[in-house]
Amino acid sequence: MSKCEVIVIDYGVGNLLSVQRGLEKCGTKVILTSDPEVILAANRVVLPGVGAFANAMKILKNLGLVEVLGELAQRKTPLLGICLGMQLLLEESEEFGLTTGLGLIPGNVIPVPNQMLSGETQKIPHIGWNALQPSHKEVWQHSLMKNNQPGEAAYFVHSFMAVPSDPTNRIADCIYGGHKIAAMIGRDQITGCQFHPEKSGEVGLEILRNFCVD
């Protein structure tokens, strides 16, 4: 197996430097670009993102990248969405009204509950380290989590969460205030991490290594 070149989509939404550094720690060559032709020629693509869903979708549309990402999905090019980048993979978000997403994974994005199951108020956004668990039996064996262990923690910063329509598209979950939150989702060669693997120490680097290997 060999490490490959990874394209990180630079569309002005997200901490590109930390993503770049995380991938480079895995021995991978990283190219930051918004050029559709370069992205379409890639073997691996990362869609990062922080901030508002609607603004990110507007920028992707203006850059002509919505169609590009759809084409990558059709070609089954490995695609990794991180944080907001994961949420954009779904069909629709409820953030500041309804906004259409990329629709690469069926489902929608809703607010993280501001109350625990016990009824107590909980802090939003969900910030900090949280343990990851497989969403269903043996799912990690066929995912980017295959070298990780249940209970290992990753770093989260988010106020909204993905809800895939098909439960089999959930790969990993975490628990916040008693609520089960999708921490990683996937369909075909598309994967999304709600947490930041590039900020999650060796746990996150192991995920990035798996993504980068041909």
Side-chain angles (χ1 to χ4, degrees):
M1 294 186 294
S2 62
K3 297 294 175 62
C4 62
E5 183 178 274
V6 174
I7 297 297
V8 176
I9 298 180
D10 181 1
Y11 63 116
V13 181
N15 188 350
L16 297 180
L17 185 58
S18 64
V19 174
Q20 179 180 3
R21 286 176 174 170
L23 289 165
E24 288 175 344
K25 283 183 182 179
C26 300
T28 300
K29 180 181 178 181
V30 178
I31 296 176
L32 306 178
T33 185
S34 60
D35 186 325
E37 291 187 7
V38 175
I39 296 168
L40 283 171
N43 293 320
R44 297 281 190 283
V45 177
V46 174
L47 178 65
V50 296
F53 189 103
N55 181 58
M57 282 301 303
K58 181 179 179 180
I59 295 171
L60 289 175
K61 288 177 182 177
N62 289 342
L63 292 171
L65 295 180
V66 172
E67 295 81 8
V68 168
L69 288 161
E71 179 64 24
L72 292 177
Q74 289 292 322
R75 296 181 183 183
K76 298 192 183 302
T77 300
L79 171 64
L80 176 63
I82 297 176
C83 197
L84 175 62
M86 163 179 156
Q87 296 175 8
L88 295 171
L89 299 174
L90 284 92
E91 295 171 300
E92 190 175 67
S93 173
E94 296 181 7
E95 185 180 9
F96 304 125
L98 295 178
T99 303
T100 300
L102 295 169
L104 304 182
I105 297 177
N108 63 332
V109 179
I110 65 172
V112 175
N114 59 12
Q115 283 191 324
M116 302 180 185
L117 283 182
S118 63
E120 299 173 60
T121 300
Q122 67 177 356
K123 184 179 178 181
I124 302 296
H126 169 213
I127 300 177
W129 294 84
N130 206 326
L132 305 174
Q133 297 291 342
S135 300
H136 44 94
K137 189 177 180 181
E138 298 180 353
V139 65
W140 283 14
Q141 294 179 14
H142 310 288
S143 76
L144 299 183
M145 300 290 297
K146 62 186 178 183
N147 294 332
N148 294 91
Q149 299 299 316
E152 291 180 338
Y155 187 76
F156 292 79
V157 183
H158 65 116
S159 300
F160 286 77
M161 62 183 189
V163 183
S165 301
D166 184 346
T168 65
N169 291 153
R170 295 177 79 116
I171 296 171
D173 296 314
C174 69
I175 303 297
Y176 187 57
H179 299 280
K180 186 177 288 187
I181 292 174
M184 180 183 280
I185 61 175
R187 183 188 188 201
D188 297 326
Q189 297 299 310
I190 302 169
T191 305
C193 294
Q194 183 60 73
F195 55 91
H196 288 271
E198 77 282 5
K199 297 180 180 179
S200 297
E202 188 59 31
V203 171
L205 289 178
E206 193 61 40
I207 293 166
L208 294 179
R209 288 189 196 104
N210 284 330
F211 179 71
C212 293
V213 172
D214 282 324

